[in-house]
């Protein structure tokens, strides 16, 4: 059974940091490109960051220099370190695995507010 379980969301003040985790199981993790998306109500889900199985990363321009995506191919986990958070970063954040198939996690809410 394929599972992507996100954790680490919460409420943080502007300028603060959060680290999201996504634990994967039920598929060959190293064969999949992993990414983070986010979505606010009424808007389309948008891509935030992506990491290949070999560790090559790409970021949406709005998060470059503030967010870092990483993966642990032993623990089958992908991370998103988010620094200098802004109120516009408030969203539900989703983990995505893409390869032979595409899988999504259930999402974790991040709220950036004072």
């Amino acid at each position: 059974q394929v599972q992507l379980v996100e954790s680490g969301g919460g409420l943080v003040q502007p300028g603060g940091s959060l680290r999201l985790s996504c634990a994967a199981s039920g598929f060959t993790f190293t064969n999949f490109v992993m990414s983070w998306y986010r979505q606010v109500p009424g808007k389309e889900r948008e891509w935030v960051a992506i990491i290949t199985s070999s560790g090559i990363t790409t970021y949406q321009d709005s998060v470059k220099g503030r967010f870092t995506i990483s993966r642990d191919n032993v623990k089958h986990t992908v991370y998103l370190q988010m620094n200098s958070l802004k109120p516009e970063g408030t969203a539900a954040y989703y983990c995505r695995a893409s390869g032979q198939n595409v899988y999504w996690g259930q999402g974790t809410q991040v709220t950036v507010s004072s």
Side-chain angles (χ1 to χ4, degrees), residues 2-80:
V2 172
Q3 282 193 309
L4 291 172
V5 180
E6 298 102 332
S7 60
L11 173 65
V12 63
Q13 292 188 343
S17 299
L18 280 176
R19 188 194 195 205
L20 305 183
S21 300
C22 172
S25 60
F27 61 96
T28 306
F29 184 74
T30 51
N31 287 351
F32 281 69
V33 172
M34 301 300 297
S35 51
W36 287 95
Y37 282 68
R38 63 188 178 189
Q39 187 173 25
V40 298
K43 293 190 176 182
E44 290 189 0
R45 193 170 295 186
E46 65 173 6
W47 162 78
V48 175
I50 189 169
I51 186 166
T52 68
S53 57
S54 61
I56 298 171
T57 59
T58 311
Y59 297 92
Q60 184 197 95
D61 284 346
S62 67
V63 306
K64 280 181 182 177
R66 299 186 298 116
F67 289 13
T68 303
I69 188 171
S70 60
R71 65 190 293 163
D72 186 327
N73 286 338
V74 174
K75 294 183 178 179
H76 295 180
T77 300
V78 62
Y79 304 97
L80 186 67

